[in-house]
Amino acid sequence: MNHLQTADYIVFFVYFIAISSYGYYIYHKKKSSDMSSKDFFLAEGSLTWWAIGASLIASNISAEHFIGMSGSGFALGLAIASYEWMSAATLILVAVFIIPVYLKNRIFTMPQFLSKRYNDKVSTIMAVFWLLVYVFVNLTSIIYLGALAISSISSLSFEWCIVGLSIFSMVVTLGGMKVIGYTDVVQVLVLIFGGLITTYLALSLLSQEYGFGKDIFKGLSVLRNEAPEHFHMIFDSSNKYYKELPGFSVIIGGMLINNLAYWGCNQYIVQRALGADLNTARKGILFAAFLKLLVPVIAVLPGIVMYVLHNKGLFQAEMSEAGVIKPDHAYPTLMNLLPPGLKGIAFAALTAAIVASLAGKANSISTIFSLDIYKKYFNKDASDRKLVRVGRWAVVISMVIAAIVTPSLRSLDQAYQFIQEYVGFISPGVLAIFLLGFYWKRTTAAAAMTGALVTIPLSTVLKFLPVWTNGAFPDYPFLDRMAIDFVVIVILMVVISLSKPQKLASDQDIVVDTSMFRISTGFALGSILIMGILTALYTVFW
């Protein structure tokens, strides 16, 4: 039944009260008499490693995973898990080689780094790019998928779900980074526990349908037998989904560029670690990497289960809209099969993921707008209290804009792929600008400006040139386009930097202390364990 029972509402109400009360407690326990802007935006130095790790995952996992990734699991299988499993490896690289640079140079926002290393023009252009992407791609897609899921399993309309999610997220965000960081610990516990329950019941249902009782291991065996094509991590060019996940690009090509840009140069991700010391930040990032290994279990497997059940003739109407199969309906359909109470837990898990992710992104929008736009161009002498107030207004306005735009996404098939592709329009340029800015002192502001201005037009040309030329130009998969973009932009930046050399001013120098790249024994062992697990997974599911 597509509505919640009394037991479900009770479970959800307990979750809502618990998270709100805990957030209120943290806000009053941790706040100072006059909250500083860095305290509000960064929770300066107050987040523990487990809070950093949980907050990283809570900000990352959202409806795009539960709904979008399950949809992609339904359509193309376990291969979509590369986004998660390769992220675990990327997080290790970020912890070792990127976070130390930020902390050494006391960088608090991504535009601040660009302003310090290059100039205000580069910083402002990228700040505007980030704000547009965060509002019109990230916030809108998360609200859309969340509203789609909640309206599918409850009696609430799609429009009221948009309103409710937006308001709940605003309330959490307005408490500042400390409230977000610590409530994210609870959110992550809820979403992982609820997600694992949903996966367990999905496999139990599948096992029952094939006459094996509620044995989830038999359910896994059925999945492998009934959908063997859904258990390949590396696609060859003959696979119909090769354009979404092109072969080895998911390991060493565009996927690496996508992940490094996301985890290393992304305000709402890096922000969690910027207020901590290096050791605490690294522990938190390693904890997040371990949690990343779990995500495909709670997000991808349910989609593959629904694929097998759908092929068996079940849920034909639920998985279709106007006669067209909609993969993104997989997770909501599965949630509707849960018994009262457990459905409430799954509902709370989904809401936790949505709200935590929206809050993280909204906080980063407010951080960039307040510190890198408002303070720099509108009120250079703004007090901390004024910046916090402006930041809160930025949260409200950005959430309202996203809520208004959200209904226009209803025509999407696989929203997860939409998010990855269009965020990928700026990722290659961002990564090139940051990496060269970190590690090559000869990189000039003119080169960085070129990289910033070229990245979107180049991505657009590579995407649409095959259409404009009637197929005369190769139609590259979007991950391969990202790799091409990155290489072209790096070459352009190097050529421009060498053709018009520019000596860095003393205040532009980014200090890279290689001694900070040394890692502890515990971090090394944890990293080896993660890489061993990844090697085993890709070997088994080649």
Side-chain angles (χ1 to χ4, degrees):
M1 296 177 69
N2 292 4
H3 60 80
L4 301 175
Q5 304 294 314
T6 302
D8 300 319
Y9 283 113
I10 291 172
V11 169
F12 180 76
F13 185 71
V14 169
Y15 151 72
F16 180 83
I17 293 298
I19 203 69
S20 301
S21 301
Y22 185 55
Y24 184 79
Y25 165 75
I26 291 294
Y27 177 72
H28 282 277
K29 180 184 177 183
K30 302 282 186 180
K31 79 170 183 176
S32 57
S33 58
D34 187 17
M35 181 182 285
S36 71
S37 58
K38 286 179 182 175
D39 200 48
F40 177 78
F41 295 120
L42 296 170
E44 180 113 11
S46 68
L47 293 184
T48 59
W49 66 266
W50 43 270
I52 290 171
S55 194
L56 280 169
I57 295 302
S59 293
N60 169 242
I61 298 177
S62 187
E64 65 197 68
H65 289 78
F66 279 102
I67 310 303
M69 190 165 273
S70 283
S72 293
F74 180 97
L76 54 88
L78 191 63
I80 197 67
S82 282
Y83 279 103
E84 304 308 304
W85 287 338
M86 293 313 299
S87 286
T90 305
L91 278 164
I92 295 171
L93 294 177
V94 169
V96 176
F97 297 110
I98 294 181
I99 289 297
V101 180
Y102 290 137
L103 296 181
K104 178 68 176 178
N105 294 275
R106 294 191 60 77
I107 299 298
F108 300 116
T109 72
M110 302 302 94
Q112 179 201 350
F113 165 78
L114 297 174
S115 181
K116 176 178 172 64
R117 176 59 178 83
Y118 299 113
N119 59 35
D120 284 346
K121 287 183 180 178
V122 175
S123 171
T124 302
I125 286 173
M126 294 309 299
V128 171
F129 280 172
W130 273 310
L131 289 175
L132 291 174
V133 169
Y134 289 169
V135 174
F136 291 101
V137 177
N138 294 122
L139 288 186
T140 55
S141 59
I142 293 168
I143 295 173
Y144 161 70
L145 287 169
L148 174 69
I150 291 173
S151 63
S152 299
I153 63 174
S154 69
S155 56
L156 297 172
S157 70
F158 179 76
E159 291 74 17
W160 277 113
C161 289
I162 291 175
V163 173
L165 287 173
S166 301
I167 292 174
F168 192 0
S169 303
M170 277 190 266
V171 170
V172 173
T173 311
L174 295 178
M177 193 63 215
K178 282 179 186 172
V179 173
I180 294 171
Y182 282 102
T183 55
D184 277 352
V185 176
V186 182
Q187 307 272 47
V188 162
L189 289 173
V190 173
L191 72 88
I192 289 179
F193 180 63
L196 288 174
I197 286 176
T198 305
T199 300
Y200 173 83
L201 291 173
L203 291 170
S204 296
L205 173 64
L206 184 67
S207 181
Q208 282 182 289
E209 285 294 328
Y210 280 81
F212 297 112
K214 294 184 177 182
D215 189 334
I216 62 169
F217 296 104
K218 291 289 186 182
L220 285 170
S221 178
V222 168
L223 278 186
R224 292 295 303 273
N225 292 331
E226 295 297 317
E229 73 284 358
H230 274 52
F231 284 88
H232 292 291
M233 296 299 298
I234 306 297
F235 291 163
D236 60 36
S237 56
S238 65
N239 191 293
K240 65 178 179 178
Y241 292 110
Y242 180 78
K243 288 191 66 178
E244 278 78 13
L245 294 166
F248 285 101
S249 284
V250 302
I251 297 178
I252 58 173
M255 184 73 79
L256 180 61
I257 292 165
N258 177 75
N259 284 342
L260 278 173
Y262 180 87
W263 293 104
C265 314
N266 191 330
Q267 180 68 29
Y268 66 81
I269 294 299
V270 179
Q271 191 164 344
R272 270 90 191 122
L274 295 184
D277 62 83
L278 180 59
N279 186 49
T280 302
R282 275 188 172 150
K283 285 180 180 177
I285 292 171
L286 191 66
F287 178 44
F290 274 107
L291 292 177
K292 266 311 214 183
L293 299 177
L294 273 178
V295 175
V297 176
I298 64 177
V300 180
L301 279 183
I304 303 176
V305 169
M306 287 306 300
Y307 171 79
V308 173
L309 292 173
H310 182 265
N311 277 0
K312 200 175 190 302
L314 303 175
F315 313 114
Q316 300 297 307
E318 290 86 348
M319 289 302 303
S320 300
E321 190 173 291
V324 178
I325 293 177
K326 302 287 283 188
D328 282 346
H329 287 193
Y331 203 85
T333 300
L334 181 60
M335 287 180 69
N336 279 321
L337 303 177
L338 300 179
L342 289 179
K343 188 175 180 181
I345 293 174
F347 181 46
L350 181 62
T351 306
I354 298 163
V355 170
S357 194
L358 286 174
K361 289 167 180 64
N363 181 263
S364 292
I365 289 168
S366 73
T367 303
I368 291 176
F369 180 80
S370 303
L371 301 183
D372 298 300
I373 303 290
Y374 179 80
K375 185 174 175 64
K376 190 177 289 186
Y377 295 103
F378 295 98
N379 189 350
K380 293 182 179 179
D381 300 319
S383 65
D384 277 357
R385 179 174 292 184
K386 178 69 172 177
L387 287 175
V388 170
R389 193 180 308 125
V390 168
R392 284 177 170 146
W393 274 111
V395 169
V396 173
I397 292 170
S398 61
M399 202 69 78
V400 169
I401 292 172
I404 292 171
V405 173
T406 293
S408 64
L409 301 184
R410 296 195 78 166
S411 61
L412 293 178
D413 178 20
Q414 291 184 55
Y416 190 78
Q417 297 296 83
F418 159 81
I419 296 164
Q420 299 302 329
E421 179 164 5
Y422 284 95
V423 169
F425 270 49
I426 71 166
S427 296
V430 169
L431 185 61
I433 291 167
F434 272 73
L435 290 184
L436 288 177
F438 288 153
Y439 300 118
W440 194 44
K441 290 184 181 295
R442 298 179 69 177
T443 311
T444 64
M449 179 69 77
T450 302
L453 294 176
V454 162
T455 182
I456 291 179
L458 182 58
S459 298
T460 304
V461 167
L462 286 174
K463 178 175 174 60
F464 294 106
L465 200 57
V467 177
W468 297 337
T469 61
N470 292 319
F473 188 83
D475 185 10
Y476 294 108
F478 80 87
L479 284 175
D480 288 347
R481 292 201 306 266
M482 288 179 66
I484 294 168
D485 286 351
F486 178 74
V487 171
V488 170
I489 291 169
V490 166
I491 292 172
L492 271 175
M493 289 180 65
V494 169
V495 169
I496 292 169
S497 297
L498 292 176
S499 63
K500 290 187 178 180
Q502 174 187 333
K503 189 173 170 102
L504 282 179
S506 59
D507 61 347
Q508 286 183 298
D509 191 26
I510 296 296
V511 179
V512 178
D513 183 353
T514 54
S515 69
M516 295 177 72
F517 294 161
R518 298 193 195 104
I519 56 176
S520 67
T521 302
F523 185 90
L525 291 175
S527 300
I528 291 170
L529 178 59
I530 288 172
M531 295 308 297
I533 292 170
L534 290 175
T535 301
L537 287 168
Y538 277 86
T539 301
V540 171
F541 299 115
W542 186 263

